[in-house]
Each structure stands twice: as structure tokens, then as C-alpha cells.
């Protein structure tokens, strides 16, 4: 085995172990209820099916690259809280009055399986559970918990996911400038990346300059990720509906696939520079980011 192949194999094994730990912890934090408890079942259905777990993995990898000991249980709870918020946002995005999606992660969307009213209640319950999980997380000082809850709640609110979804629904079908589209993409995607990375910075007591670099990284990463998602809109085998962006103004529609991919790669280059400054003790986060995008971009070439 070549050195490069060995590094890739070790990285893949590391990610597999982290994903397994996340899955086990999510199962513990979202236990089964009675057969009649459809809200609890919907919460599990929206969260537990295997996904990429990108946001919690970024939190764990960045924290470790900044010197944090991942054997402490509290950091895993923070990562799971981020995944619960992400799952809640997807449940709400998919309901009929929003994107009216049929498939998510290769399964029927939560509202199709449980009904729209149960889906909405499950999303609200997941958001509530996420904050509770942080508040009760072991091995973390009280101030770290308070700061983490503040970061995550800000990412959800009127300057985060809620505003991004509103702009996407009400402005997405209109002609928009690239700058306006980028603002919506930041609110839809970058803010939750930023919250996850700032939570890693909180537990490691990172210096303000490092936190700022992580914020810049999250901004570029979110833009790149949204461009990737838009490029994949017409692709099958993504586990979700195709052509969800039909009729919307996107950067892919405006720049074309080649132009959008060039812009994506520029965001990745900038993201890598910021991350190299913030996570100087390790390179696992950078390796993960590049592997993730290289694998997905290979579909378009």
C-alpha cells in the first residue's frame, strides 16, 4: 500500500468510527417511545437514517485539530445537537408549504410518512431537544454550554436558517443578483456550519483571531456546499428529489455549470487557507473537506 493510500484508508476509518459514535449517541439521545408516540417516531425518522453528518463531523474534527480530547462525552453531545438542528431544518424545508419534497436521504420525507402536523411538531421538538442536550452535556463548563446554545440559537433564527428559508421561498423565483443569491445561500447553509465550528472554538477556548478564521472558513464552505447542492439538482442517486431548483434563480442558472464549478473551487481554495490558519495542530478537517468535495465533484466530470 502506498503512503497516500494508507493515509486515505486511515482517514476513512477515522471518519467511520466518528460516524458510528455519532449514530450511537443520537440513538441514546432520541430513544424509542410507545408505538402511539408518533412525534417521537418522526423525530427519529428525521434524524437517525444515515446521512453525511457533515456538520457534527466538522465540529469534532475541528475541535480535535485544535487540541481537544474527543473522549470527553460533552463534545459528542454538542455534535449531536447540531445534527438535531440540521434534521429539524430539513423536516421543515420538505413540508408542502415549503419545498414540498417527496424524498430525503433515500426515504420518504417525514411529512409523507407521518403527516404534516406531526412533522412540524417533530421539528419543534428536535430544536428543543438540541438545546436541552447542550444544557445537560457532561464535561463542559457552564459558560461553554451557555455560549454554545447562543451560537446555535442564533444560527436558527431571523439572521440564520429562518431568514434563509424565507428568502429562498419568497425571492427565489425572481431575478436576483449574484450577491443577493450568495446572501441567501449564506443564511441557508453557512450559518449552521459557522455555529458548529464556533462551538468547537468555544470548547477549545480558541483565541478571537482563530474564531474569526473559522467564521471565514464556514462562510466559504457554506457557499461551496450550496453550489455543489445546486449542481447536483438534476442528478439521480442523491437520496432526494431531483429538479427541486426548477424555476428558482440560482448561481448555476446564472453562471452555467462550468462557471458555478469555478466559483465553487475558488470558495474551497479560500476556505482551505482560513482553515489552515485556525486548525494548525492537525489537518483532519482539511483532509475531510477536500475528500468530501472531490468525491462529489467527480460526478460532474
Amino acid at each position: 500500500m502506498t503512503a497516500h493510500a494508507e493515509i486515505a484508508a486511515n482517514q476513512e476509518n477515522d471518519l467511520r468510527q466518528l460516524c458510528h459514535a455519532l449514530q450511537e449517541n443520537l440513538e441514546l439521545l432520541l430513544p424509542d417511545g410507545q408505538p402511539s408516540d408518533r412525534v417521537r417516531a418522526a423525530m427519529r425518522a428525521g434524524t437517525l437514517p444515515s446521512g453525511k453528518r457533515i456538520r457534527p463531523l466538522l465540529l469534532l474534527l475541528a475541535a480535535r485539530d485544535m487540541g481537544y480530547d474527543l473522549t470527553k462525552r460533552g463534545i459528542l453531545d454538542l455534535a449531536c445537537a447540531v445534527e438535531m438542528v440540521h434534521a429539524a431544518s430539513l423536516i421543515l424545508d420538505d413540508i408542502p408549504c415549503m419545498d414540498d419534497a417527496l424524498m430525503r436521504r433515500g426515504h420518504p420525507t417525514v411529512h409523507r410518512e407521518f403527516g404534516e402536523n406531526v412533522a412540524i411538531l417533530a421539528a419543534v421538538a428536535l430544536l428543543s431537544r438540541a438545546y436541552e442536550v447542550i444544557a445537560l452535556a457532561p464535561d463542559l463548563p457552564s459558560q461553554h454550554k451557555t455560549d454554545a446554545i447562543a451560537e446555535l440559537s442564533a444560527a436558527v433564527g431571523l439572521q440564520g436558517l429562518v431568514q434563509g428559508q424565507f428568502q429562498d421561498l419568497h425571492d427565489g423565483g425572481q431575478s436576483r443578483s449574484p450577491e443577493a443569491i450568495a446572501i441567501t445561500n449564506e443564511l441557508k447553509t453557512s450559518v449552521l456550519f459557522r455555529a458548529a465550528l464556533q462551538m468547537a472554538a468555544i470548547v477549545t477556548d480558541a483565541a478571537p483571531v482563530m474564531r474569526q478564521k473559522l467564521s471565514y472558513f464556514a462562510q466559504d464552505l457554506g457557499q461551496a456546499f450550496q453550489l455543489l447542492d445546486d449542481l447536483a439538482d438534476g442528478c439521480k442517486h442523491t437520496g432526494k428529489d431531483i429538479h427541486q431548483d426548477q424555476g428558482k434563480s440560482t448561481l448555476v442558472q446564472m453562471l452555467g455549470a462550468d462557471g458555478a464549478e469555478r466559483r465553487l473551487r475558488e470558495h474551497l481554495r479560500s476556505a482551505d487557507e482560513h482553515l489552515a490558519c485556525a486548525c494548525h495542530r492537525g489537518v483532519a478537517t482539511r483532509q475531510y473537506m477536500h475528500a468530501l468535495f472531490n468525491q462529489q465533484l467527480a460526478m460532474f466530470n
Side-chain angles (χ1 to χ4, degrees):
M1 180 181 291
T2 66
H4 179 74
E6 186 174 354
I7 290 172
N10 289 339
Q11 180 191 14
E12 186 175 340
N13 184 57
D14 180 42
L15 291 176
R16 191 181 299 112
Q17 289 181 9
L18 289 177
C19 281
H20 180 71
L22 285 165
Q23 188 70 22
E24 282 194 332
N25 207 44
L26 283 168
E27 293 269 4
L28 289 172
L29 294 171
L30 298 172
D32 273 325
Q34 297 296 320
S36 60
D37 192 345
R38 290 179 58 77
V39 173
R40 188 182 295 274
M43 292 168 68
R44 287 171 58 85
T47 310
L48 297 183
S50 59
K52 297 185 181 73
R53 309 292 192 214
I54 296 170
R55 292 149 190 84
L57 282 174
L58 282 171
L59 192 161
L60 295 174
L61 291 171
R64 189 174 64 189
D65 280 346
M66 290 188 288
Y68 196 79
D69 180 6
L70 294 190
T71 62
K72 296 181 179 180
R73 164 74 188 279
I75 188 70
L76 195 60
D77 283 358
L78 293 192
C80 287
V82 170
E83 185 67 6
M84 289 179 198
V85 168
H86 178 56
S89 74
L90 297 182
I91 292 172
L92 292 174
D93 284 355
D94 288 341
I95 61 177
C97 67
M98 301 283 186
D99 292 345
D100 196 14
L102 301 178
M103 300 294 294
R104 173 71 67 176
R105 293 176 173 174
H107 298 272
T109 47
V110 172
H111 73 268
R112 285 186 65 208
E113 185 175 355
F114 295 92
E116 188 173 358
N117 57 352
V118 173
I120 293 171
L121 293 172
V124 174
L126 278 171
L127 291 172
S128 175
R129 181 62 173 141
Y131 301 132
E132 180 185 23
V133 165
I134 297 175
L136 299 176
D139 305 323
L140 291 175
S142 297
Q143 189 60 52
H144 285 179
K145 296 178 186 181
T146 300
D147 293 345
I149 290 172
E151 285 289 345
L152 199 53
S153 59
V156 172
L158 286 174
Q159 296 305 312
L161 298 175
V162 168
Q163 186 63 233
Q165 181 70 356
F166 176 82
Q167 290 185 11
D168 192 46
L169 287 170
H170 290 268
D171 301 332
Q174 305 173 19
S175 178
R176 295 184 292 171
S177 68
E179 293 75 20
I181 296 173
I183 289 172
T184 299
N185 289 348
E186 178 172 356
L187 293 167
K188 284 175 57 181
T189 310
S190 296
V191 290
L192 193 52
F193 284 134
R194 182 180 295 117
L197 290 157
Q198 290 302 314
M199 289 161 73
I202 287 166
V203 299
T204 57
D205 293 312
V209 65
M210 299 302 181
R211 294 189 61 162
Q212 188 64 63
K213 287 293 184 182
L214 286 173
S215 183
Y216 291 148
F217 164 68
Q219 184 173 5
D220 276 313
L221 182 67
Q223 293 292 340
F225 193 81
Q226 190 60 51
L227 282 162
L228 183 67
D229 191 64
D230 293 345
L231 282 165
D233 183 56
C235 296
K236 297 179 181 179
H237 313 301
T238 61
K240 57 184 181 180
D241 297 7
I242 62 172
H243 302 304
Q244 278 290 97
D245 293 337
Q246 195 164 10
K248 287 185 179 180
S249 55
T250 67
L251 289 173
V252 174
Q253 177 198 60
M254 185 172 295
L255 305 174
D258 290 343
E261 185 173 338
R262 284 194 297 272
R263 187 167 179 141
L264 185 158
R265 292 188 183 278
E266 178 58 28
H267 279 301
L268 285 181
R269 183 201 60 76
S270 178
D272 187 69
E273 290 181 358
H274 294 308
L275 188 58
C277 294
C279 297
H280 54 278
R281 295 189 186 182
V283 295
T285 315
R286 294 173 69 191
Q287 289 174 341
Y288 172 62
M289 179 189 72
H290 288 297
L292 175 68
F293 279 92
N294 288 339
Q295 180 183 32
Q296 296 297 310
L297 286 170
M299 296 190 305
F300 311 124
N301 298 313

